[in-house]
Amino acid sequence: EVERAVRVMRRMQDLSRRSDQDEREAVDIGELVEEVLLLCEKRCRDAGIMVELSLAGYLPSPSVVPDQIQQVLLNLVLNAIDAMPDGGKLTVKAVRVESPAGVEISVSDTGTGIPPDVLPHLYEPFSTTKVSGLGLGLYVCRTIIARHGGNIVVDTQPAAGTTFTVWLPTG
């Protein structure tokens, strides 16, 4: 329990530190998405989850801290995998958005959906429905995306799946 508390405190400290603007760089969102899916490939296969990737022909390159955006995408993909204990379909899409100028990445699952009573607390720290979860994942995601000037939204249907959509500015 002490080790777990230390891990929680380290994650909170890392989150509270602001990244310098110098750390930001224009990134290929498609490459970041592909790297995350490669990291999760075995876990998806073992869980009976089919993965569908759809990248628009032209994706602008937002100026971001790559490791942080990769952390967000990894967290969303892992949550989607956890939501499909009996297998299913994971769909990740990235498209260019004109107004406001940016790139939109959506992570969808065909899992259990999020219960309506959980939605108001979804992004609160230490709020979790998982037995072994810390309840920091979506809180961290929203904080990182907000620091990048973007936003994150959820669309969920109980027993029909969930889609998280991240928008990052490029203009």
Side-chain angles (χ1 to χ4, degrees):
E1 286 301 313
V2 170
E3 287 176 9
R4 181 178 171 187
V6 168
R7 282 195 316 271
V8 169
M9 292 307 297
R10 280 194 189 124
R11 287 181 75 182
M12 294 298 282
Q13 285 174 333
D14 288 346
L15 188 59
S16 67
R17 281 189 216 117
R18 286 203 155 265
S19 296
D20 295 334
Q21 293 293 331
D22 296 340
E23 294 180 28
R24 291 185 184 214
E25 59 186 80
V27 298
D28 182 329
I29 287 294
E31 283 183 17
L32 283 183
V33 169
E34 288 173 342
E35 288 172 12
V36 167
L37 291 177
L38 186 61
L39 287 171
C40 299
E41 184 177 22
K42 182 179 180 337
R43 189 164 173 191
C44 286
R45 189 174 49 250
D46 292 349
I49 295 171
M50 185 181 85
V51 178
E52 180 181 307
L53 173 61
S54 175
L55 301 174
Y58 167 73
L59 289 171
S61 299
S63 180
V64 299
V65 180
D67 291 347
Q68 291 182 2
I69 300 305
Q70 193 169 31
Q71 179 183 354
V72 168
L73 297 174
L74 182 60
N75 192 343
L76 295 176
V77 167
L78 291 175
N79 282 351
I81 292 168
D82 289 346
M84 298 183 283
D86 300 320
K89 182 177 177 185
L90 169 69
T91 305
V92 181
K93 295 180 183 178
V95 297
R96 184 174 120 217
V97 179
E98 292 295 328
S99 183
V103 63
E104 201 171 75
I105 308 130
S106 62
V107 177
S108 303
D109 65 64
T110 58
T112 56
I114 301 170
D117 60 317
V118 173
L119 282 173
H121 309 287
L122 202 57
Y123 299 104
E124 293 176 4
F126 307 110
S127 175
T128 185
T129 58
K130 297 178 184 178
V131 175
S132 62
L134 295 176
L136 292 175
L138 290 174
Y139 170 73
V140 169
C141 288
R142 187 176 71 173
T143 302
I144 288 171
I145 295 302
R147 282 191 185 155
H148 283 82
N151 65 31
I152 182 170
V153 295
V154 63
D155 179 31
T156 187
Q157 301 296 319
T162 300
T163 299
F164 280 91
T165 304
V166 170
W167 174 81
L168 293 167
T170 57

